[in-house]
Amino acid sequence: MKGERCPNPIASLMKPMNSHFQFRNLLPYFVFFAFGVAFGVIISVNLQNYSFTLQLNKSSPSTLSLSSSSSSSSSSSSSSSSSSSSLDDLQLANDTAYIDELEKDLTPKSASVMHNMEDEELLWRASMVPKIREFPFRTAPKVAFMFLTKGPVSLAPLWEKFFKGYEGLYSIYVHSNPPYNGSEPEDSVFYGRRIPSKEVKWGDVNMVEAERRLLANALLDHSNQRFVLLSEACIPLFNFNFTYTYLMKSRKTFVEAYDLPGPVGRGRYQSKMGPLIKIDQWRKGSQWFQIDRELALEIISDKLYFSKFQRYCKGQCYADEHYIPTYVSMKFWKRNSNRTLTWVDWSRGGPHPARFMRTDVTPEFLNKLRSESSCEYNGMANTTCFLFARKFLPHSLERLLLFAPKVMRF
Ligand SMILES: *[C@@H]1O[C@H](CO)[C@@H](O)[C@H](O)[C@H]1NC(C)=O
Ligand SMILES: *[C@@H]1O[C@H](CO)[C@@H](O)[C@H](O)[C@H]1NC(C)=O
Ligand SMILES: *[C@@H]1O[C@H](CO)[C@@H](O)[C@H](O)[C@H]1NC(C)=O
Ligand SMILES: *[C@@H]1O[C@H](CO)[C@@H](O)[C@H](O)[C@H]1NC(C)=O
Ligand SMILES: *[C@@H]1O[C@H](CO)[C@@H](O)[C@H](O)[C@H]1NC(C)=O
Ligand SMILES: *[C@@H]1O[C@H](CO)[C@@H](O)[C@H](O)[C@H]1NC(C)=O
């Protein structure tokens, strides 16, 4: 048997020294040494990608437990060899310094989210999932707020107020069109949160690429458990506490998806996408989603369905309104609510939703958005169906700030 000729390197380390020293006996030591060196190099290269300027707060409110789910993959083979796990044990056992570095790597506290990874490497890195779900350190689950913008986050002062006092429970990512090169003041929650961005055209498939880029950047921080996509025209309708709790406690993801006959629905289906995607599987929905980590991972690691959209969903096809709704409805519909938490007004017709000006913003209007709908939340009928709303023009900011304390309680 070949296996007997090639002893486990760890096991042979434990054996008493043999006087009949042969090269073959030395080989395992070399292999072991090389493993150690390679491991060390990989870890140190990894850690250099982040700067560790901020100290970690050890008294974080709660231990993170990754949401267990029914739909997790069942194909994991238990093929981990005993030699590699003993190697890990030797390297990692009781190595508190290593745990500290790991913690900073997995839940980076640095202010800047800049890196020099190309999309391919970024998506690959973000798609990694630890097999052990419990963290070896304490950290609070966070909500990633991802802003897809043209330029600055125009309603930033409202969001600053929303986030104030909840540091450690959220992370912010901004993807803005590259011609925009402005920077935020250092005391802003948006400071240093712009991810490496590429050009986005309205309705183009590169809009979805930008969404996946935002998701991938946010996934690099393993404490992010919910992912919310927002635009510069979005506002929060509730305070942070309510928003955080609603998102964290939800057993469903919020990706709007519906089947719509006619030219702006099924009419946009491209028959070249078949037979993988059939016309009765084609869905439409708002691009503004609120999803969990598991679905975020599935979206960034999908190549099969997305490549069909990249190839065939161009121009009047509007991939941003169809890719995620269709993909999620085909593969992950069980845990999806088919609705979005972002309110919008399409009642005026046309290709763009209604935009709200200063005079539209009144306490009555805001209250209507907050609680005058009906939907299902965790299996129960509920009247709170929207946590966010669009589209609010920059000059509505003043009145939003005025009514925020009374109506939105922040
Ligand atoms: C750590 O968090 C606790 C409570 O969340 C807070 O009281 C304390 O000031 C924080 N410490 C630092 C160094 O940020
Ligand atoms: C592990 O490290 C801690 C703190 O550095 C130390 O007190 C403890 O004795 C170590 N345990 C072993 C088994 O080495
Ligand atoms: C930003 O871009 C404008 C032109 O697009 C240029 O004039 C300006 O110097 C740039 N500012 C910075 C800080 O790079
Ligand atoms: C958050 O909301 C919960 C229940 O809705 C409440 O018990 C808690 O005191 C609130 N915390 C803060 C900091 O407002
Ligand atoms: C969402 O839509 C799918 C069909 O695409 C359907 O099977 C599922 O039951 C719907 N879920 C809810 C919660 O309505
Ligand atoms: C709707 O759900 C929220 C969040 O769980 C809850 O606070 C509220 O009481 C619910 N409202 C109704 C009418 O059931």
Side-chain angles (χ1 to χ4, degrees), residues 166 241-242 245:
Y166 293 96
N241 189 0
F242 186 90
T245 312

Side-chain angles (χ1 to χ4, degrees), residues 242 245-246 249 375 377-378 380-385:
F242 186 90
T245 312
Y246 193 104
K249 294 219 166 138
C375 55
Y377 177 77
N378 284 346
M380 308 263 281
N382 201 303
T383 55
T384 300
C385 306

Side-chain angles (χ1 to χ4, degrees), residues 113-354:
V113 289
M114 263 303 159
H115 55 73
N116 51 20
M117 285 183 272
E118 277 300 321
D119 282 353
E120 196 186 359
E121 183 187 351
L122 170 70
L123 294 172
W124 179 80
R125 233 174 233 274
S127 73
M128 292 197 279
V129 180
K131 190 147 186 158
I132 297 178
R133 286 171 163 257
E134 297 279 308
F135 274 79
F137 46 81
R138 287 166 74 79
T139 182
K142 290 192 285 188
V143 177
F145 291 84
M146 311 180 300
F147 291 84
L148 179 57
T149 72
K150 289 191 190 73
V153 180
S154 41
L155 299 171
L158 185 69
W159 286 103
E160 299 269 0
K161 254 185 115 174
F162 171 81
F163 288 120
K164 199 168 167 40
Y166 293 96
E167 293 74 21
L169 296 177
Y170 64 84
S171 7
I172 293 173
Y173 302 86
V174 181
H175 185 294
S176 47
N177 251 359
Y180 173 69
N181 62 3
S183 60
E184 313 302 326
E186 270 187 49
D187 59 356
S188 163
V189 295
F190 295 98
Y191 178 73
R193 305 307 299 179
R194 189 177 170 203
I195 64 163
S197 309
K198 291 186 184 168
E199 205 195 340
V200 169
K201 280 204 206 104
W202 185 73
D204 194 286
V205 71
N206 59 21
M207 179 95 96
V208 187
E209 284 162 10
E211 292 172 13
R212 284 159 52 101
R213 205 171 290 130
L214 275 166
L215 281 173
N217 276 277
L219 281 166
L220 293 179
D221 182 339
H222 284 238
S223 58
N224 286 327
Q225 293 296 313
R226 297 291 183 275
F227 301 78
V228 176
L229 184 67
L230 299 157
S231 78
E232 64 264 74
C234 284
I235 62 161
L237 290 171
F238 290 86
N239 63 19
F240 185 90
N241 189 0
F242 186 90
T243 306
Y244 179 88
T245 312
Y246 193 104
L247 292 168
M248 285 298 175
K249 294 219 166 138
S250 173
R251 296 197 292 267
K252 296 239 164 159
T253 55
F254 300 96
V255 174
E256 188 183 40
Y258 52 91
D259 184 8
L260 183 72
V264 296
R266 285 195 181 201
R268 293 180 184 166
Y269 171 77
Q270 309 293 314
S271 52
K272 283 187 178 148
M273 292 180 172
L276 182 68
I277 304 165
K278 300 182 187 70
I279 190 160
D280 61 338
Q281 294 171 314
W282 184 252
R283 291 289 179 279
K284 181 174 177 164
S286 163
Q287 74 187 106
W288 311 105
F289 58 70
Q290 299 79 26
I291 61 177
D292 61 13
R293 189 170 181 92
E294 199 184 333
L295 185 54
L297 281 161
E298 299 289 357
I299 290 171
I300 61 122
S301 45
D302 166 47
K303 285 190 165 179
L304 184 62
Y305 295 82
F306 189 51
S307 63
K308 293 276 179 207
F309 278 79
Q310 282 176 309
R311 202 173 311 160
Y312 303 119
C313 189
K314 292 183 173 158
Q316 304 292 303
C317 175
Y318 301 108
D320 58 293
E321 289 187 351
H322 297 279
Y323 165 63
I324 296 177
T326 301
Y327 176 59
V328 169
S329 296
M330 287 180 72
K331 308 247 308 176
F332 310 102
W333 58 271
K334 271 190 191 164
R335 287 197 312 113
N336 190 34
S337 63
N338 298 346
R339 67 183 179 99
T340 173
L341 298 177
T342 304
W343 182 90
V344 72
D345 180 10
W346 285 105
S347 67
R348 298 181 201 177
H352 295 282

Side-chain angles (χ1 to χ4, degrees), residues 8 30 32 34 37 44 48 101 105 127 152 186 224 241 255 264 289 307-308 331 356 373 390-391 409:
N8 181 329
F30 280 119
F32 181 53
V37 170
S44 67
Q48 273 163 15
E101 297 294 274
D105 192 16
S127 73
E186 270 187 49
N224 286 327
N241 189 0
V255 174
V264 296
F289 58 70
S307 63
K308 293 276 179 207
K331 308 247 308 176
F356 297 100
S373 326
R390 57 195 283 266
K391 304 177 78 165
R409 310 268 154 88

